[in-house]
Amino acid sequence: MSTSNFNMRNLIPALAIATTSLFARQAEAVAANPLPKPANITWGAPAAFAIDTLSLNAPNHDVLQAGFARATKAFSDLNWIPQATEAPVRSFAAYPTPTGTASKSKRQYGNYTGSLTAVNVQITNTHATLDHGVDESYTLDITSGSDTIEITAETVYGALHAFTTLQQMVINDGSNKLIIEAPVSIVDAPLYPVRGIMVDSGRNFISKQKMFEQIDGMSLSKLNVLHWHMVDEQSWPVEIEAYPQMTDDAYSPREIYTHAIIKDIVDYAAARGVRIIPEIDMPGHASSGWKQVDQEMLACIDSWWSNDNWATHTAVEPNPGQLDILNNKTYEVTGKVYKELANLFPDSWFHVGGDELHVNCYQFSPLIRQFFDSGKTMGDLVQHWVDTAVPNFRKQANKTLVMWEDVVISSDAAASGLVPKDIILQSWNNGLENIYNLTRDGYRVIVSSADFMYLDCGYGGWVSNDPRYNVMVNPNKTDGTPNFNFGAGGGSWCSPYKTWQRIYDYDFTQGLSSEQKALVQGAISPLWSEQVDDTVISGKMWPRAAALAELVWSGNRDAQGNKRTTDLTQRILNFREYLVASGVGAAPLMPKFCLQHPHECDLYLDQTALYKTAA
């Protein structure tokens, strides 16, 4: 697009460039270390660019101009000094001689002359909509002697990513001057079209402001999909105009997502390049809300969930309930709920659940007991759901359906026949094995493997009146076998806690053919909210979600194919501080000593220790 058609915005705090000597020592690296690491980034010879004022020359597009305004406002508001910078590991004295002191050198910046006066943005398609597969690539160039930052992108969403990269490269030189440290050239694009987190507002309510906070973190780390698990057995916080009584099962009148609030969240996300995929889990995890419409279309809602005998449990957690698959009213109500919400969320994908169905629950349904007595199986029942519900959903709205993998691959509740291949399956069990099997069978897959990506794992159990904790000694101390309280999960079914390194090291396409790899759409890290509300959501989500963000944006390996987890260390430590400064309540990953002493908190001094996969 011709620059003559660009819209000029002046007097926004931003970049002015001057060329000078950057470091006292030529070999020293730049301090800026944007996350996720761009696919290709090349820094020029040290020559810093100082910051003064900047104009935007870009197409007249509200999303683009608002994104630029946010980025440039962050320059001046944060006045950012990198809190964790990359540097080679220092030398240590050989054992047993006491170690020497760390060698610290202060980065020196010179005087700045000349100025960068503009950011020029060229976009090929300003009409592209935010949806699956939208082009998010961009280039960013600052050349020696130039007075402009040049950005190109296919769509405004690529340009938004360019702005967040630029935002992380603008730093304070230590004398209260904002700079970019050197000429730079970036050619960047994501590895996967689906890069996201999951928020669960069914177990505990998450306020609009905290939803905004998660979206802010996503935008900064280039995550583009917010999977919103809206309701569950415990509560129904979503306004449904067709059945207003459903919100009688919200925790309180203050803990309801009205249509207006939903629109606010959708709009806030879209302005930052984040899609929202809503989930209404069906036919399992169904009690609250649904029972206010018609209790006859539910099974086992009055049962004791664990039955004090796990062999006859009706749910994996309280409170129990599943939609009665053989009750015709089920399809009338689910169809209306789906249609209303499908109209509120503009994304072309909609998640309809499908996980964790329990045959014991259906023993409470006379219709289904009769079905089983006739020789039919649980798989046949699930197939009836697929054959009836899926066409009903598609009749209500033209959306691509997403389901949990259970409907195809569960050991005790998979459909006995065909599940349409155009349904996208979210894989959460058995890691690489399930990913392999689903893609082998031709399904598109979103990776959410619990062993690597569940952010709620490792916090212990939460159900009460649990005698398993009433143990004073380790009964297995003699043979070393882990038990509930000593060395095992302590009540967290997916223990241990998933560290940022665990997430980043996950090679989830390992062992797949090229055809299978093409079916992997990306990854989403879920944070289930049994032990999560506004007070802790950001600390449990961030900065670990940023490790996923880089994994699915540019991968976890360097140009030589080696794991670069150690290279990520200072980058993610610095990014955590940047999140906190930006209003996202990210948790600390290490003592602050580790930020200030690069690689001195590594387990191995050998910086190639990760080049080989552990057994």
mmCIF file of all heavy atoms in Angstrom, residues 306-335:
data_model
loop_
_atom_site.group_PDB
_atom_site.id
_atom_site.type_symbol
_atom_site.label_atom_id
_atom_site.label_comp_id
_atom_site.label_asym_id
_atom_site.label_seq_id
_atom_site.Cartn_x
_atom_site.Cartn_y
_atom_site.Cartn_z
ATOM 1 N N SER A 306 -18.739 -40.137 44.884
ATOM 2 C CA SER A 306 -17.708 -41.178 44.989
ATOM 3 C C SER A 306 -18.257 -42.485 45.515
ATOM 4 O O SER A 306 -17.616 -43.529 45.381
ATOM 5 C CB SER A 306 -16.563 -40.709 45.899
ATOM 6 O OG SER A 306 -16.935 -40.806 47.267
ATOM 7 N N ASN A 307 -19.464 -42.428 46.117
ATOM 8 C CA ASN A 307 -20.113 -43.605 46.692
ATOM 9 C C ASN A 307 -19.269 -44.299 47.758
ATOM 10 O O ASN A 307 -19.563 -45.426 48.137
ATOM 11 C CB ASN A 307 -20.505 -44.605 45.598
ATOM 12 C CG ASN A 307 -21.736 -44.146 44.839
ATOM 13 O OD1 ASN A 307 -22.729 -43.731 45.441
ATOM 14 N ND2 ASN A 307 -21.664 -44.169 43.521
ATOM 15 N N ASP A 308 -18.217 -43.608 48.254
ATOM 16 C CA ASP A 308 -17.283 -44.185 49.222
ATOM 17 C C ASP A 308 -16.717 -45.517 48.737
ATOM 18 O O ASP A 308 -16.149 -46.285 49.499
ATOM 19 C CB ASP A 308 -17.956 -44.372 50.599
ATOM 20 C CG ASP A 308 -18.242 -43.041 51.289
ATOM 21 O OD1 ASP A 308 -17.923 -41.993 50.692
ATOM 22 O OD2 ASP A 308 -18.771 -43.054 52.396
ATOM 23 N N ASN A 309 -16.929 -45.784 47.468
ATOM 24 C CA ASN A 309 -16.466 -47.022 46.829
ATOM 25 C C ASN A 309 -16.192 -46.660 45.379
ATOM 26 O O ASN A 309 -17.126 -46.514 44.583
ATOM 27 C CB ASN A 309 -17.533 -48.118 46.942
ATOM 28 C CG ASN A 309 -17.134 -49.375 46.171
ATOM 29 O OD1 ASN A 309 -16.004 -49.510 45.725
ATOM 30 N ND2 ASN A 309 -18.084 -50.287 46.021
ATOM 31 N N TRP A 310 -14.936 -46.495 45.049
ATOM 32 C CA TRP A 310 -14.578 -45.938 43.739
ATOM 33 C C TRP A 310 -15.127 -46.761 42.577
ATOM 34 O O TRP A 310 -15.405 -46.231 41.493
ATOM 35 C CB TRP A 310 -13.072 -45.778 43.630
ATOM 36 C CG TRP A 310 -12.673 -44.937 42.455
ATOM 37 C CD1 TRP A 310 -11.939 -45.320 41.380
ATOM 38 C CD2 TRP A 310 -12.997 -43.553 42.230
ATOM 39 N NE1 TRP A 310 -11.781 -44.276 40.501
ATOM 40 C CE2 TRP A 310 -12.423 -43.172 41.000
ATOM 41 C CE3 TRP A 310 -13.726 -42.607 42.955
ATOM 42 C CZ2 TRP A 310 -12.546 -41.891 40.465
ATOM 43 C CZ3 TRP A 310 -13.856 -41.331 42.420
ATOM 44 C CH2 TRP A 310 -13.275 -40.986 41.196
ATOM 45 N N ALA A 311 -15.330 -48.032 42.774
ATOM 46 C CA ALA A 311 -15.854 -48.867 41.691
ATOM 47 C C ALA A 311 -17.248 -48.448 41.251
ATOM 48 O O ALA A 311 -17.658 -48.732 40.124
ATOM 49 C CB ALA A 311 -15.867 -50.328 42.136
ATOM 50 N N THR A 312 -17.969 -47.750 42.125
ATOM 51 C CA THR A 312 -19.323 -47.314 41.766
ATOM 52 C C THR A 312 -19.447 -45.797 41.744
ATOM 53 O O THR A 312 -20.549 -45.259 41.867
ATOM 54 C CB THR A 312 -20.356 -47.897 42.756
ATOM 55 O OG1 THR A 312 -20.024 -47.495 44.087
ATOM 56 C CG2 THR A 312 -20.389 -49.417 42.668
ATOM 57 N N HIS A 313 -18.326 -45.093 41.528
ATOM 58 C CA HIS A 313 -18.384 -43.635 41.497
ATOM 59 C C HIS A 313 -19.185 -43.162 40.287
ATOM 60 O O HIS A 313 -19.219 -43.825 39.242
ATOM 61 C CB HIS A 313 -16.977 -43.044 41.464
ATOM 62 C CG HIS A 313 -16.260 -43.254 40.158
ATOM 63 N ND1 HIS A 313 -15.686 -44.449 39.799
ATOM 64 C CD2 HIS A 313 -16.044 -42.408 39.117
ATOM 65 C CE1 HIS A 313 -15.136 -44.338 38.596
ATOM 66 N NE2 HIS A 313 -15.336 -43.122 38.161
ATOM 67 N N THR A 314 -19.818 -42.015 40.433
ATOM 68 C CA THR A 314 -20.604 -41.445 39.337
ATOM 69 C C THR A 314 -19.956 -40.207 38.719
ATOM 70 O O THR A 314 -20.444 -39.693 37.714
ATOM 71 C CB THR A 314 -22.012 -41.079 39.830
ATOM 72 O OG1 THR A 314 -21.908 -40.192 40.943
ATOM 73 C CG2 THR A 314 -22.778 -42.334 40.233
ATOM 74 N N ALA A 315 -18.878 -39.727 39.321
ATOM 75 C CA ALA A 315 -18.155 -38.565 38.787
ATOM 76 C C ALA A 315 -16.744 -38.576 39.353
ATOM 77 O O ALA A 315 -16.484 -39.203 40.383
ATOM 78 C CB ALA A 315 -18.863 -37.267 39.158
ATOM 79 N N VAL A 316 -15.828 -37.866 38.690
ATOM 80 C CA VAL A 316 -14.463 -37.794 39.204
ATOM 81 C C VAL A 316 -14.328 -36.734 40.282
ATOM 82 O O VAL A 316 -13.326 -36.675 40.988
ATOM 83 C CB VAL A 316 -13.435 -37.531 38.079
ATOM 84 C CG1 VAL A 316 -13.344 -38.720 37.147
ATOM 85 C CG2 VAL A 316 -13.772 -36.258 37.316
ATOM 86 N N GLU A 317 -15.338 -35.876 40.406
ATOM 87 C CA GLU A 317 -15.346 -34.867 41.448
ATOM 88 C C GLU A 317 -16.785 -34.410 41.665
ATOM 89 O O GLU A 317 -17.652 -34.603 40.797
ATOM 90 C CB GLU A 317 -14.462 -33.683 41.072
ATOM 91 C CG GLU A 317 -14.926 -32.896 39.857
ATOM 92 C CD GLU A 317 -13.966 -31.778 39.480
ATOM 93 O OE1 GLU A 317 -12.748 -32.006 39.478
ATOM 94 O OE2 GLU A 317 -14.440 -30.667 39.197
ATOM 95 N N PRO A 318 -17.071 -33.838 42.830
ATOM 96 C CA PRO A 318 -18.426 -33.352 43.068
ATOM 97 C C PRO A 318 -18.670 -32.049 42.280
ATOM 98 O O PRO A 318 -17.747 -31.289 42.057
ATOM 99 C CB PRO A 318 -18.439 -33.091 44.573
ATOM 100 C CG PRO A 318 -17.002 -32.850 44.933
ATOM 101 C CD PRO A 318 -16.192 -33.694 44.000
ATOM 102 N N ASN A 319 -19.881 -31.749 41.873
ATOM 103 C CA ASN A 319 -21.060 -32.583 42.063
ATOM 104 C C ASN A 319 -21.366 -33.320 40.763
ATOM 105 O O ASN A 319 -21.051 -32.823 39.689
ATOM 106 C CB ASN A 319 -22.236 -31.704 42.495
ATOM 107 C CG ASN A 319 -22.551 -30.599 41.499
ATOM 108 O OD1 ASN A 319 -21.662 -29.961 40.924
ATOM 109 N ND2 ASN A 319 -23.827 -30.364 41.262
ATOM 110 N N PRO A 320 -21.987 -34.479 40.839
ATOM 111 C CA PRO A 320 -22.154 -35.315 39.656
ATOM 112 C C PRO A 320 -23.286 -34.842 38.754
ATOM 113 O O PRO A 320 -24.166 -34.077 39.170
ATOM 114 C CB PRO A 320 -22.462 -36.680 40.255
ATOM 115 C CG PRO A 320 -23.162 -36.366 41.540
ATOM 116 C CD PRO A 320 -22.504 -35.115 42.054
ATOM 117 N N GLY A 321 -23.276 -35.324 37.540
ATOM 118 C CA GLY A 321 -24.349 -35.055 36.595
ATOM 119 C C GLY A 321 -23.895 -35.222 35.159
ATOM 120 O O GLY A 321 -22.766 -34.867 34.810
ATOM 121 N N GLN A 322 -24.764 -35.814 34.333
ATOM 122 C CA GLN A 322 -24.523 -35.954 32.903
ATOM 123 C C GLN A 322 -25.858 -35.794 32.173
ATOM 124 O O GLN A 322 -26.903 -36.209 32.678
ATOM 125 C CB GLN A 322 -23.899 -37.318 32.578
ATOM 126 C CG GLN A 322 -22.518 -37.484 33.168
ATOM 127 C CD GLN A 322 -21.902 -38.877 32.990
ATOM 128 O OE1 GLN A 322 -20.769 -39.100 33.405
ATOM 129 N NE2 GLN A 322 -22.633 -39.809 32.400
ATOM 130 N N LEU A 323 -25.814 -35.195 31.024
ATOM 131 C CA LEU A 323 -27.018 -35.082 30.212
ATOM 132 C C LEU A 323 -27.481 -36.460 29.759
ATOM 133 O O LEU A 323 -26.658 -37.290 29.359
ATOM 134 C CB LEU A 323 -26.751 -34.195 28.994
ATOM 135 C CG LEU A 323 -26.543 -32.705 29.278
ATOM 136 C CD1 LEU A 323 -25.971 -31.994 28.056
ATOM 137 C CD2 LEU A 323 -27.843 -32.043 29.718
ATOM 138 N N ASP A 324 -28.780 -36.672 29.821
ATOM 139 C CA ASP A 324 -29.341 -37.963 29.408
ATOM 140 C C ASP A 324 -29.387 -38.002 27.886
ATOM 141 O O ASP A 324 -30.173 -37.297 27.238
ATOM 142 C CB ASP A 324 -30.739 -38.144 29.995
ATOM 143 C CG ASP A 324 -31.245 -39.576 29.837
ATOM 144 O OD1 ASP A 324 -30.924 -40.205 28.806
ATOM 145 O OD2 ASP A 324 -31.952 -40.054 30.739
ATOM 146 N N ILE A 325 -28.545 -38.828 27.315
ATOM 147 C CA ILE A 325 -28.358 -38.884 25.864
ATOM 148 C C ILE A 325 -29.604 -39.395 25.143
ATOM 149 O O ILE A 325 -29.819 -39.084 23.961
ATOM 150 C CB ILE A 325 -27.119 -39.752 25.547
ATOM 151 C CG1 ILE A 325 -25.844 -38.997 26.001
ATOM 152 C CG2 ILE A 325 -27.028 -40.118 24.074
ATOM 153 C CD1 ILE A 325 -24.572 -39.814 25.920
ATOM 154 N N LEU A 326 -30.456 -40.153 25.849
ATOM 155 C CA LEU A 326 -31.639 -40.722 25.211
ATOM 156 C C LEU A 326 -32.907 -39.908 25.450
ATOM 157 O O LEU A 326 -33.989 -40.293 24.984
ATOM 158 C CB LEU A 326 -31.845 -42.164 25.693
ATOM 159 C CG LEU A 326 -30.710 -43.141 25.358
ATOM 160 C CD1 LEU A 326 -31.059 -44.547 25.834
ATOM 161 C CD2 LEU A 326 -30.413 -43.146 23.857
ATOM 162 N N ASN A 327 -32.786 -38.800 26.148
ATOM 163 C CA ASN A 327 -33.939 -37.943 26.395
ATOM 164 C C ASN A 327 -34.006 -36.883 25.295
ATOM 165 O O ASN A 327 -33.071 -36.100 25.109
ATOM 166 C CB ASN A 327 -33.812 -37.276 27.768
ATOM 167 C CG ASN A 327 -35.049 -36.506 28.182
ATOM 168 O OD1 ASN A 327 -35.677 -35.841 27.379
ATOM 169 N ND2 ASN A 327 -35.390 -36.600 29.461
ATOM 170 N N ASN A 328 -35.102 -36.838 24.558
ATOM 171 C CA ASN A 328 -35.216 -35.904 23.436
ATOM 172 C C ASN A 328 -35.109 -34.453 23.866
ATOM 173 O O ASN A 328 -34.651 -33.601 23.096
ATOM 174 C CB ASN A 328 -36.533 -36.136 22.697
ATOM 175 C CG ASN A 328 -36.539 -37.456 21.940
ATOM 176 O OD1 ASN A 328 -35.492 -37.963 21.558
ATOM 177 N ND2 ASN A 328 -37.724 -38.015 21.727
ATOM 178 N N LYS A 329 -35.529 -34.144 25.081
ATOM 179 C CA LYS A 329 -35.455 -32.769 25.573
ATOM 180 C C LYS A 329 -34.002 -32.280 25.617
ATOM 181 O O LYS A 329 -33.720 -31.077 25.459
ATOM 182 C CB LYS A 329 -36.080 -32.694 26.973
ATOM 183 C CG LYS A 329 -36.157 -31.283 27.577
ATOM 184 C CD LYS A 329 -37.194 -30.423 26.869
ATOM 185 C CE LYS A 329 -37.378 -29.070 27.576
ATOM 186 N NZ LYS A 329 -38.111 -29.193 28.856
ATOM 187 N N THR A 330 -33.070 -33.191 25.830
ATOM 188 C CA THR A 330 -31.650 -32.845 25.866
ATOM 189 C C THR A 330 -31.238 -32.097 24.610
ATOM 190 O O THR A 330 -30.515 -31.084 24.672
ATOM 191 C CB THR A 330 -30.796 -34.108 26.031
ATOM 192 O OG1 THR A 330 -31.054 -34.684 27.315
ATOM 193 C CG2 THR A 330 -29.311 -33.811 25.901
ATOM 194 N N TYR A 331 -31.701 -32.544 23.463
ATOM 195 C CA TYR A 331 -31.262 -31.957 22.191
ATOM 196 C C TYR A 331 -31.968 -30.643 21.903
ATOM 197 O O TYR A 331 -31.388 -29.739 21.279
ATOM 198 C CB TYR A 331 -31.458 -32.984 21.070
ATOM 199 C CG TYR A 331 -30.666 -34.230 21.367
ATOM 200 C CD1 TYR A 331 -31.271 -35.341 21.960
ATOM 201 C CD2 TYR A 331 -29.293 -34.264 21.139
ATOM 202 C CE1 TYR A 331 -30.532 -36.461 22.283
ATOM 203 C CE2 TYR A 331 -28.541 -35.382 21.462
ATOM 204 C CZ TYR A 331 -29.164 -36.472 22.045
ATOM 205 O OH TYR A 331 -28.420 -37.577 22.377
ATOM 206 N N GLU A 332 -33.185 -30.496 22.380
ATOM 207 C CA GLU A 332 -33.869 -29.215 22.256
ATOM 208 C C GLU A 332 -33.135 -28.140 23.047
ATOM 209 O O GLU A 332 -32.867 -27.035 22.536
ATOM 210 C CB GLU A 332 -35.309 -29.347 22.762
ATOM 211 C CG GLU A 332 -36.070 -28.027 22.809
ATOM 212 C CD GLU A 332 -37.390 -28.147 23.548
ATOM 213 O OE1 GLU A 332 -37.953 -29.259 23.618
ATOM 214 O OE2 GLU A 332 -37.864 -27.115 24.083
ATOM 215 N N VAL A 333 -32.785 -28.442 24.292
ATOM 216 C CA VAL A 333 -32.166 -27.448 25.172
ATOM 217 C C VAL A 333 -30.725 -27.173 24.769
ATOM 218 O O VAL A 333 -30.298 -26.009 24.671
ATOM 219 C CB VAL A 333 -32.258 -27.899 26.642
ATOM 220 C CG1 VAL A 333 -31.532 -26.913 27.554
ATOM 221 C CG2 VAL A 333 -33.722 -28.039 27.066
ATOM 222 N N THR A 334 -29.943 -28.228 24.538
ATOM 223 C CA THR A 334 -28.542 -28.002 24.154
ATOM 224 C C THR A 334 -28.454 -27.252 22.830
ATOM 225 O O THR A 334 -27.551 -26.429 22.642
ATOM 226 C CB THR A 334 -27.764 -29.324 24.065
ATOM 227 O OG1 THR A 334 -28.408 -30.208 23.134
ATOM 228 C CG2 THR A 334 -27.655 -29.999 25.409
ATOM 229 N N GLY A 335 -29.381 -27.504 21.928
ATOM 230 C CA GLY A 335 -29.373 -26.795 20.652
ATOM 231 C C GLY A 335 -29.606 -25.308 20.828
ATOM 232 O O GLY A 335 -28.929 -24.469 20.203
#
